Amino acid sequence: MTGIDVDQRKCDGLNRGESDIPDVTDCAVADLTEAGRLTSVTHLDAAGPLDTVIICVPTPLSKTRDPDLSHLLAAARSLTKHLRPGMLVILESTTYPGTTEEVVRGILEETGLRAGSDFFLAFSPERVDPGNTKWTIENVPKVVGGLTDDCSRLAARLYAAAIDRVVTVSSPRAAEMVKLLENTFRAINIGLVNELALMSERMGVDVWEVIEAAATKPFGYMPFYPGPGVGGHCIPVDPYYLSWKVGQVGLEARFIELAGQVNGAMPYHVVDKITDALNSHAKAINGSDVFVMGVAYKADVDDIRESPALEVIGLLLRKGARVSYHDPFVPVIVADPRTGGMPLNSSEYDLDAVAEFDCVVVLTDHSAIDYADLADRAKLVVDTRNAVKVYAPHVFKLGAPNV
Ligand SMILES: NC(=O)c1ccc[n+]([C@@H]2O[C@H](COP(=O)([O-])OP(=O)(O)OC[C@H]3O[C@@H](n4cnc5c(N)ncnc54)[C@H](O)[C@@H]3O)[C@@H](O)[C@H]2O)c1
């Protein structure tokens, strides 16, 4: 197995037996490298002959929220020199329906080799849930869509060697759409529950109580939870790949846009909530000391890509707050550069020190923290995750009326 990554630092680390993904242990990587079963190189030229190439490069959005396929184009172009008859090429990067057939196939066929007859081509979405110990690579079914039946069969056989169940769909574009359905479903449901949280605050209802009770329904419902916004490189990004593509066929992805507006407004609502909390102690944001608990986009991961915490902190800094944060997984952040945010280092979590802050804001509910202790000591708490189970006048909860 050869890992190909343009990042020399990543390759060096892997070759030393070090994992750069929290869910994968150093031990697992070292076992492979020591046995000579995994070598990482920065260019395909150094990889030697390959039977299968899986492309899993980033697919972010541009500044105008359009798909940025630059990494994918570069990866596909670098492959043309090495494409040979019988090779299997699988795209795993999340992207809009049609990318494998229109973009990747087009580039690879510039070699004169034909997809489906000379080489095999398929799409198979990644379905990793970072931090999830129950659903792992092995037991999460893998969806595969090949350009031809043979392409699907070959790709399915490859994954079946390592994954319990492989689900084949009729085409790469169907497989691409599967991934976008899954993540759009999440983005929209989070948008719905975020809006419900705002409604609940106004109507004197506790949204957390409502969600917990609704979740007892054994059919037709699954719980989603409100929060300070959506983060990670999937939920805030992937639905826009779909809305961009349907725009080209004259349709508007209205649910996606609406969920994006609701979710995108949450950091601003959190700052309003902090303003209210400080106001209850006759204080303004300007000049207050605010301590943020957790900046990763979700609990127990180290990923800050698209994390709403960066936006909340940026807004607080812009309004004149003095912000410190603690995150056991994230040693340093640069808050939203539009706000002039400076790099911030994670502070030690010391309850005596935290008790001195004007307000503590829970943005990510990492499981290592005792939130009851925190609520006991802090002067004011704004809790966006229902981490603090205590209801008290000094605890302001997203989606719930103040006591
Ligand atoms: N990580 C996940 O949990 C997850 C889950 C579902 C889908 N995805 C999708 O998988 C894709 C990759 O995501 P990720 O989180 O692994 O991204 P990442 O940024 O962590 O890793 C991608 C790697 O690709 C390398 N790279 C960029 N251009 C390259 C090139 N031309 N040749 C070789 N290497 C190159 C980068 O250096 C980087 O190390 C994205 O489309 C993402 O949406 C990821």
Side-chain angles (χ1 to χ4, degrees):
M1 215 162 22
T2 310
I4 299 144
D5 198 304
V6 288
D7 185 341
Q8 179 80 56
R9 190 193 49 84
K10 237 179 217 190
C11 294
D12 291 346
L14 287 168
N15 288 332
R16 284 195 303 269
E18 294 162 11
S19 166
D20 74 320
I21 298 174
D23 286 351
V24 178
T25 61
D26 285 347
C27 223
V29 175
D31 282 352
L32 291 172
T33 49
E34 279 161 23
R37 294 183 59 206
L38 173 66
T39 315
S40 297
V41 294
T42 55
H43 203 278
L44 265 165
D45 291 345
L50 300 167
D51 297 317
T52 300
V53 172
I54 298 178
I55 303 175
C56 45
V57 294
T59 42
L61 292 172
S62 69
K63 283 203 174 83
T64 52
R65 304 190 84 73
D66 293 335
D68 171 2
L69 293 187
S70 55
H71 302 284
L72 177 53
L73 297 176
R77 285 194 189 111
S78 70
L79 182 54
T80 51
K81 239 173 50 183
H82 304 268
L83 193 70
R84 55 185 177 79
M87 197 181 238
L88 169 63
V89 179
I90 306 175
L91 177 60
E92 285 205 6
S93 301
T94 306
T95 184
Y96 58 79
T99 310
T100 308
E101 285 159 270
E102 293 159 14
V103 180
V104 178
R105 179 185 188 172
I107 292 172
L108 297 183
E109 288 194 342
E110 284 168 15
T111 58
L113 297 173
R114 290 282 153 262
S117 48
D118 298 324
F119 66 95
F120 303 95
L121 183 62
F123 182 84
S124 179
E126 249 198 279
R127 275 175 155 175
V128 175
D129 182 17
N132 194 327
T133 48
K134 179 178 176 202
W135 296 108
T136 60
I137 294 280
E138 293 81 20
N139 64 11
V140 173
K142 188 91 171 117
V143 172
V144 166
L147 195 64
T148 63
D149 287 349
D150 282 346
C151 294
S152 292
R153 257 195 300 274
L154 202 62
R157 283 194 68 168
L158 175 81
Y159 289 122
I163 292 168
D164 296 348
R165 181 167 170 230
V166 178
V167 179
T168 304
V169 294
S170 63
S171 63
R173 75 181 58 221
E176 287 158 340
M177 191 68 142
V178 168
K179 177 71 186 176
L180 295 183
L181 167 62
E182 291 166 5
N183 283 355
T184 301
F185 171 82
R186 277 194 70 74
I188 289 172
N189 278 287
I190 294 169
L192 172 66
V193 84
N194 274 333
E195 192 169 62
L196 215 75
L198 304 189
M199 294 176 192
S200 299
E201 282 181 12
R202 288 279 177 96
M203 295 191 297
V205 177
D206 179 346
V207 78
W208 305 97
E209 180 191 12
V210 172
I211 294 168
E212 200 183 319
T216 60
K217 188 181 180 192
F219 52 89
Y221 179 79
M222 64 186 292
F224 287 86
Y225 299 96
V230 285
H233 65 301
C234 288
I235 307 300
V237 173
D238 301 352
Y240 291 103
Y241 269 71
L242 185 53
S243 57
W244 178 85
K245 188 63 178 174
V246 296
Q248 296 194 328
V249 294
L251 284 176
E252 203 186 329
R254 287 173 292 168
F255 279 103
I256 291 175
E257 296 302 328
L258 184 58
Q261 283 163 20
V262 174
N263 292 331
M266 290 310 288
Y268 293 85
H269 180 69
V270 170
V271 172
D272 286 347
K273 197 113 190 138
I274 297 166
T275 309
D276 288 349
L278 286 166
N279 191 48
S280 75
H281 282 196
K283 286 181 178 157
I285 285 190
N286 194 349
S288 285
D289 291 302
V290 178
F291 194 79
V292 169
M293 290 296 297
V295 295
Y297 84 91
K298 69 171 187 174
D300 300 334
V301 303
D302 66 350
D303 196 344
I304 54 164
R305 285 178 288 183
E306 309 288 331
S307 175
L310 302 183
E311 186 141 24
V312 171
I313 291 173
L315 289 167
L316 289 172
L317 290 170
R318 193 165 58 184
K319 285 177 185 288
R322 286 184 293 269
V323 182
S324 304
Y325 85 93
H326 171 74
D327 191 309
F329 296 91
V330 185
V332 63
I333 58 164
V334 179
D336 186 346
R338 284 172 304 177
T339 62
M342 302 289 284
L344 287 176
N345 293 307
S346 176
S347 305
E348 234 177 85
Y349 183 55
D350 168 359
L351 271 179
D352 288 336
V354 170
E356 296 300 314
F357 280 77
D358 297 309
C359 184
V360 178
V361 185
V362 180
L363 293 180
T364 310
D365 49 344
H366 292 306
S367 56
I369 305 295
D370 184 332
Y371 294 97
D373 260 7
L374 173 68
D376 201 34
R377 299 291 306 279
K379 289 181 196 163
L380 258 183
V381 179
V382 173
D383 179 10
T384 67
R385 302 282 189 177
N386 196 26
V388 177
K389 303 297 175 200
V390 180
Y391 287 82
H394 75 294
V395 177
F396 286 66
K397 230 175 243 233
L398 174 71
N402 298 333
V403 177

